[in-house]
Amino acid sequence: MSENQKEPQYKLRWNEDLRNKVMNSAKANNRSINQEIIVRLEESFQEDIEKYEDALKNAKLEFLLKELALRMGVFKITVSSTEDEYIQRQKEIEEMKRKELLVDDKKAP
């Protein structure tokens, strides 16, 4: 390695089509081909980290929802993404509450 070259080099074998894509992208972003490759690689690792973090947040949220449902006496919870299903779940919960109130009223002296 020469004095001017501080970073290690890596010989890359790639097809002409991919090289042209990288060259065009580098020109569009005002970067060298080397800079373009480095930026794209770094972004791909960041995307992997973000996907992992999102999956972890979703898993924690699902766990907390299930724990909350168990503590409330609801033994099955379904997390839905549609508004109709959400509204139906709310109606079911209200019906359960209403039935519990009726049972409590019957127990009252």
Side-chain angles (χ1 to χ4, degrees), residues 41-97:
L41 281 172
E42 287 176 348
E43 286 175 354
S44 72
F45 288 116
Q46 185 60 37
E47 289 171 7
D48 289 346
I49 290 169
E50 289 169 4
K51 286 178 189 175
Y52 171 77
E53 288 173 346
D54 287 345
L56 186 59
K57 286 178 189 175
N58 290 337
K60 286 180 181 178
L61 178 60
E62 185 175 349
F63 172 79
L64 291 173
L65 288 171
K66 286 180 180 179
E67 181 68 20
L68 178 61
L70 287 172
R71 289 178 186 236
M72 292 175 60
V74 179
F75 297 107
K76 183 178 179 186
I77 185 167
T78 303
V79 179
S80 67
S81 60
T82 65
E83 188 175 341
D84 290 340
E85 288 176 342
Y86 173 78
I87 292 169
Q88 182 61 34
R89 297 285 181 257
Q90 293 295 0
K91 288 178 182 177
E92 291 171 3
I93 291 169
E94 290 300 319
E95 181 66 20
M96 289 172 57
K97 288 180 182 177

